[in-house]
Amino acid sequence: MKPDPRPQPQCKVVPGAPRHVAIIMDGNGRWATQRGRPRLFGHHAGARRVREIVEACPDQGVEYLTIFAFSTENWKRTQVEVAGLMSLFRRYITKETRALRDAGVRVRFIGDRERLDAKLIKLMNDLEEATSHNGLVNLTIAINYGGRDEVARATHRLAQDVASGKLDPDKVDEETLPKYLDTYVLPDPDLVIRTSGEARISNFLLWQSAYSEYEFIDTLWPDFTAEEFGRLCAAFGGRERRFGAVET
Ligand code: FPP
C-alpha cells in the first residue's frame, strides 16, 4: 500500500502533556483466565485496545506512543502462545494497515527482526513504508525487543564503526550511543505506563527511560480505556520533573 500524499492533520497542543508515552501492556493472560478462556483470548482483546489508545493520542497532545508487544524473553512461553502471538501480529498488521495510514499514524517497529518469520518482517516493512508520510501520531511497536539486547546490538554496531575507523573512540559519549539504538529517531519517553499491578520495567526502554515518570496501575490491559489514558496524561502535567537538578 502506498503512503497517503494528502496533507496531514496536526496533533493538538496540550500544555503539560507528555509528548511521548510508552506502555507495557500487561495482564492479557490474567484477563482471559478470569473469564475461563485461553490466554490468547486475552491477547486478542488486548490488540483491540491498541486502536482505542492510538486514537486517543492526538486529543491528549501525545505525539509518540510506544507499546511493548513482545519481549526478547517472551519466546520462553509455550509454543502455542508464541505462535498465536506471531499470528496475531500478522493479522493485526494486515487488518489495520489501511486504517492506520488513513488516520495519519506513522508506524515504526523496534526490536531485533532477525528471529521473526519472513512473512511478518515483510508486513512490518510494508506498514512502515505505507505510513512513512504520516506524523499525527508516531506509533512504535516493540516486537522481539529487550532493552539490554538493544544496547548490546547498538554497542556491536558502534564497535564495528570504531574498528573500521568511521568513529573516533574518544567521541563515544552519551550523545553518540543513542544514535545506534533502535529508537534513534524518537524522543525519550516522558511517561511510562504499566498495566496489571506489577511494578517493574521488564527490560523496556532501559536507556531511554532514565528520566521518565512511571505510572503502575492495577487495570489489566484489555480493560484499559481512553478515559484512563487521559487521566494519566493529565496527572503527568502536575508532576515536577527535575532531571536531577534542584530548583534555585
Ligand atoms: C503481557 O500480558 C502481554 C503480552 C506479552 C503481549 C502483548 C500483546 C498485545 C497487547 C496484543 C497485540 C499487540 C499488537 C500491537 C497487535 P501477559 O500475557 O503477560 O499477561 P499476564 O501477566 O496476565 O499473564
Side-chain angles (χ1 to χ4, degrees), residues 113-184:
R113 296 187 196 195
E114 273 190 11
R115 199 170 164 184
L116 304 177
D117 76 63
K119 202 170 161 206
L120 177 57
I121 296 172
K122 168 135 183 29
L123 287 167
M124 289 159 65
N125 290 337
D126 289 350
L127 178 55
E128 285 183 330
E129 169 62 23
T131 61
S132 61
H133 290 189
N134 289 350
L136 176 64
V137 179
N138 291 272
L139 171 65
T140 302
I141 306 177
I143 298 184
N144 193 26
Y145 174 86
R148 288 183 172 183
D149 177 68
E150 179 191 33
V151 172
R153 285 185 288 106
T155 309
H156 180 245
R157 285 197 300 276
L158 187 149
Q160 283 177 323
D161 281 355
V162 168
S164 69
K166 218 168 117 187
L167 180 66
D168 176 354
D170 290 336
K171 296 265 157 59
V172 177
D173 58 17
E174 277 188 37
E175 306 290 317
T176 319
L177 195 128
K179 295 193 179 122
Y180 290 83
L181 295 174
D182 297 351
T183 52
Y184 64 100

Side-chain angles (χ1 to χ4, degrees), residues 1-193:
M1 194 178 297
K2 293 220 159 24
D4 186 342
R6 289 172 301 179
Q8 297 294 324
Q10 297 289 306
C11 189
K12 197 166 144 185
V13 177
V14 178
R19 186 173 178 223
H20 182 178
V21 178
I23 307 183
I24 302 173
M25 307 179 289
D26 197 10
N28 296 346
R30 273 163 285 168
W31 186 89
T33 305
Q34 283 171 4
R35 287 159 179 76
R37 305 295 300 264
R39 294 175 58 79
L40 274 168
F41 182 72
H43 295 315
H44 280 263
R48 286 193 291 277
R49 276 295 164 197
V50 172
R51 182 190 277 214
E52 179 177 337
I53 303 308
V54 173
E55 284 176 354
C57 285
D59 267 353
Q60 298 299 334
V62 173
E63 291 172 60
Y64 292 85
L65 179 72
T66 299
I67 55 175
F68 206 0
F70 193 90
S71 76
T72 44
E73 290 72 36
N74 286 154
W75 297 105
K76 293 181 201 143
R77 296 188 174 203
T78 64
Q79 205 265 330
V80 169
E81 187 169 350
V82 170
L85 277 166
M86 293 299 150
S87 153
L88 172 60
F89 298 146
R90 289 194 298 269
R91 275 177 55 180
Y92 175 85
I93 297 174
T94 308
K95 218 173 110 237
E96 295 286 316
T97 292
R98 184 174 293 277
L100 288 163
R101 189 201 64 174
D102 294 349
V105 180
R106 178 168 189 170
V107 183
R108 298 180 178 89
F109 291 92
I110 55 170
D112 187 355
R113 296 187 196 195
E114 273 190 11
R115 199 170 164 184
L116 304 177
D117 76 63
K119 202 170 161 206
L120 177 57
I121 296 172
K122 168 135 183 29
L123 287 167
M124 289 159 65
N125 290 337
D126 289 350
L127 178 55
E128 285 183 330
E129 169 62 23
T131 61
S132 61
H133 290 189
N134 289 350
L136 176 64
V137 179
N138 291 272
L139 171 65
T140 302
I141 306 177
I143 298 184
N144 193 26
Y145 174 86
R148 288 183 172 183
D149 177 68
E150 179 191 33
V151 172
R153 285 185 288 106
T155 309
H156 180 245
R157 285 197 300 276
L158 187 149
Q160 283 177 323
D161 281 355
V162 168
S164 69
K166 218 168 117 187
L167 180 66
D168 176 354
D170 290 336
K171 296 265 157 59
V172 177
D173 58 17
E174 277 188 37
E175 306 290 317
T176 319
L177 195 128
K179 295 193 179 122
Y180 290 83
L181 295 174
D182 297 351
T183 52
Y184 64 100
V185 291
L186 308 177
D188 286 343
D190 302 293
L191 175 63
V192 179
I193 298 169

